[in-house]
């Protein structure tokens, strides 16, 4: 397996683990967030590695973050 493929596979695995932990917090709200924190950290690590392996400009990611935030501000209640 080449390094780009490996990065993508691990990135997908980490996404799935974040999904799983988010689901557990919905089902068991009494749980603490320590496992979610761990999985979010793992995912952020893999996002950084994917950015490097695919020569993605971090500024491009920042632009997309801004676009998503503006959408959420308009269409969700997260910022009210």
């Amino acid at each position: 397996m080449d390094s780009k493929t490996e990065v993508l596979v691990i990135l997908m695995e980490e996404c799935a683990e974040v999904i799983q932990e988010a689901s557990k917090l919905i089902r068991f709200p009494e749980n603490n967030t320590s496992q979610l924190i761990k999985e979010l950290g793992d995912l952020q690590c893999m996002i950084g590695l994917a950015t490097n392996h695919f020569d993605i400009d971090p500024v491009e990611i920042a632009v997309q973050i801004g676009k998503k935030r503006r959408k959420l501000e308009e269409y969700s209640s997260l910022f009210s």
Side-chain angles (χ1 to χ4, degrees), residues 64-80:
Q64 294 306 314
I65 291 169
K67 287 179 181 180
K68 181 64 173 184
R69 185 178 180 94
R70 285 188 295 280
K71 265 189 186 177
L72 291 170
E73 287 170 352
E74 184 175 350
Y75 296 110
S76 80
S77 61
L78 294 174
F79 296 96
S80 35

Side-chain angles (χ1 to χ4, degrees), residues 46-73:
M46 292 314 301
I47 290 169
L49 287 172
T51 300
N52 292 338
H53 275 77
F54 288 91
D55 297 320
I56 296 170
D57 183 351
V59 173
E60 291 181 48
I61 294 174
V63 167
Q64 294 306 314
I65 291 169
K67 287 179 181 180
K68 181 64 173 184
R69 185 178 180 94
R70 285 188 295 280
K71 265 189 186 177
L72 291 170
E73 287 170 352

Side-chain angles (χ1 to χ4, degrees), residues 35-48:
Q35 195 60 29
L36 180 62
I37 292 166
K38 177 204 174 299
E39 298 304 344
L40 288 172
D42 291 353
L43 178 57
Q44 284 192 314
C45 174
M46 292 314 301
I47 290 169

Side-chain angles (χ1 to χ4, degrees), residues 19-50:
I19 291 167
Q20 183 178 35
E21 289 308 318
S23 175
K24 285 180 182 178
L25 283 173
I26 291 169
R27 289 180 23 235
F28 308 106
E30 67 278 3
N31 285 2
N32 66 42
T33 58
S34 62
Q35 195 60 29
L36 180 62
I37 292 166
K38 177 204 174 299
E39 298 304 344
L40 288 172
D42 291 353
L43 178 57
Q44 284 192 314
C45 174
M46 292 314 301
I47 290 169
L49 287 172

